[in-house]
Amino acid sequence: MSRKRPLEGQLICTHPFEWFEIHPDGRVFTCCPAWLKTPIGNLLTDPIETVWNSPVAHAIRKTVLNGSFQYCNRKRCPRLASRTPPVMAAGEVANPETSRAIGRSLGTLPYGPKTLNLCFDHSCNLACPSCRQDITIAQGEALERAEAIAERIRTEAAPHVETLIVSGFGDPFGSPTYRRLLQGLAPEAYPRLQQVHLHTNGQLWDEKTWNALPALHSLVNKAEISIDAATAATYAENRKGGDFSRLLDNLAFLQSLPIEVKISFVVQHNNFREIPAFAELGARHGFAVYFSQLVNWGTFRREEYRRRAVHLPEHPEHGELCATLGRVARLGHVDAGNLSHLVAGE
């Protein structure tokens, strides 16, 4: 039975209607779990179709449709905070299938996941304290799980996926599993694939690597480079195993490609004074700049996290952070994300 169409101006989020984020233990989320922590199922035990339209997925979509956003963390989610895509008015949804599903108030969807965010392989060439303690390459059972998930993507998700994001966890060039997946992105296997968004630390993305992945050249139109520093000394501390000079060389190469690049910066006590210099680094290369809060992914003890988390109001340097961020937050190429409220004085 047809249901009442939401008002065109009603605030919704398209992620639960498009997003499929896969983690190393097989759990799947319809958003970043820092913002929406409830998984909708497990890809190691169930096929994609079952997970995508699970009872939990249905319930999450309904809370977006009724405007309660009950499963979402409004304080942490940078898009709810700034009301930027994927948060938008219902009438602004561009994808026809997604728009129809929202217009009909569907919790169970007649189509498969449109955006895959691959976070299932933790293999990375760096050890960044905000993410992990050591450089890790998947082996043994971890590698078997990663390969099993990759095979599900090839056989079950490939016919439906429109956008592929590699990777919110691990590095697309530092993970052998991700590299093999990227090498197999042939049009006949992924007929609806329109774009690949690479999220990387940038250390391995040089001209040689790019030339070895020709299938990506027509698909990659967006990329995010996680940096967290504007000087070699801070980079060495926040991106252990990385070389700042090599990063700068690779940024110069990326500047020559027809790709929309965003460089990102997780704000913490040892780098927040470099915020203006980082904004300048982006401007110099023609890149967008994104700042975000420090999240404790289990790598910090509570005391250490609170020492680092300068965005918290009780931090002794919080006022200085607000003033520093305020100097750049309104520049056209800068997105303050879930730190926007510090500038707005909310």
Side-chain angles (χ1 to χ4, degrees):
M1 183 174 65
S2 177
R3 298 190 179 186
K4 184 179 179 181
R5 182 179 179 85
L7 295 175
E8 291 293 301
Q10 178 181 322
L11 194 68
I12 57 91
C13 176
T14 60
H15 263 5
F17 300 88
E18 298 180 344
W19 190 269
F20 199 81
E21 180 169 314
I22 312 164
H23 285 242
D25 58 3
R27 289 184 301 162
V28 176
F29 299 83
T30 60
C31 188
C32 172
W35 330 134
L36 199 166
K37 66 181 181 180
T38 306
I40 61 172
N42 194 297
L43 207 56
L44 289 174
T45 58
D46 293 302
I48 284 178
E49 183 179 3
T50 300
V51 174
W52 179 235
N53 279 319
S54 70
V56 177
H58 183 279
I60 289 172
R61 291 172 190 136
K62 287 298 184 179
T63 67
V64 172
L65 292 167
N66 67 25
S68 69
F69 292 90
Q70 182 180 334
Y71 288 86
C72 305
N73 187 319
R74 289 178 175 270
K75 291 183 178 180
R76 280 190 172 182
C77 176
R79 301 313 173 196
L80 271 173
S82 59
R83 297 197 173 190
T84 53
V87 176
M88 65 187 74
E92 297 174 351
V93 178
N95 187 282
E97 287 184 316
T98 306
S99 180
R100 282 194 295 271
I102 291 170
R104 295 170 57 196
S105 296
L106 297 182
T108 299
L109 303 178
Y111 55 82
K114 295 181 179 299
T115 300
L116 299 189
N117 188 26
L118 307 188
C119 305
F120 62 84
D121 186 358
H122 61 181
S123 300
C124 188
N125 53 303
L126 299 186
C128 308
S130 60
C131 180
R132 65 189 69 216
Q133 298 292 339
D134 302 295
I135 294 174
T136 308
I137 301 296
Q139 301 179 42
E141 291 184 4
L143 179 59
E144 291 177 8
R145 288 194 297 269
E147 291 293 341
I149 292 171
E151 185 59 24
R152 277 210 188 271
I153 290 170
R154 295 185 188 99
T155 57
E156 298 176 21
H160 310 284
V161 62
E162 297 176 8
T163 299
L164 194 63
I165 302 173
V166 194
S167 160
F169 187 52
D171 191 88
F173 304 113
S175 159
T177 299
Y178 286 153
R179 275 219 188 195
R180 283 191 291 272
L181 198 61
L182 292 173
Q183 288 168 341
L185 297 181
E188 56 270 23
Y190 295 79
R192 300 186 68 178
L193 185 61
Q194 299 171 18
Q195 59 182 346
V196 174
H197 180 183
L198 296 178
H199 188 171
T200 170
N201 56 55
Q203 283 288 310
L204 301 177
W205 193 356
D206 54 19
E207 187 172 7
K208 180 180 179 181
T209 296
W210 187 240
N211 289 339
L213 295 166
L216 289 181
H217 293 192
S218 63
L219 291 170
V220 176
N221 55 19
K222 290 185 179 181
E224 179 174 348
I225 315 298
S226 299
I227 300 176
D228 298 353
T231 65
T234 303
Y235 189 79
E237 185 176 351
N238 288 348
R239 296 271 147 180
K240 294 185 183 301
D243 183 314
F244 194 65
S245 294
R246 182 176 185 176
L247 171 71
L248 294 180
D249 288 342
N250 290 351
L251 291 182
F253 167 66
L254 295 181
Q255 189 178 3
S256 71
L257 301 179
I259 295 175
E260 181 182 325
V261 177
K262 173 172 67 178
I263 57 174
S264 57
F265 187 105
V266 175
V267 173
Q268 47 195 303
H269 81 295
N270 74 338
N271 68 5
F272 78 90
R273 293 183 179 89
E274 296 180 14
I275 285 175
F278 192 74
E280 172 57 28
L281 177 68
R284 193 162 63 246
H285 288 83
F287 298 160
V289 171
Y290 176 71
F291 295 103
S292 64
Q293 297 175 7
L294 178 69
V295 174
N296 190 358
W297 299 107
T299 54
F300 302 125
R301 293 181 180 274
R302 179 179 174 83
E303 297 77 11
E304 174 65 9
Y305 174 72
R306 296 186 72 83
R307 186 180 72 82
R308 289 176 174 262
V310 69
H311 69 277
L312 296 177
E314 61 270 23
H315 195 283
E317 295 167 317
H318 179 75
E320 187 180 353
L321 165 64
C322 294
T324 304
L325 188 63
R327 290 163 53 190
V328 304
R330 292 181 177 84
L331 296 175
H333 69 297
V334 171
D335 180 356
N338 56 12
L339 294 166
S340 298
H341 66 286
L342 300 184
V343 180
E346 297 175 3

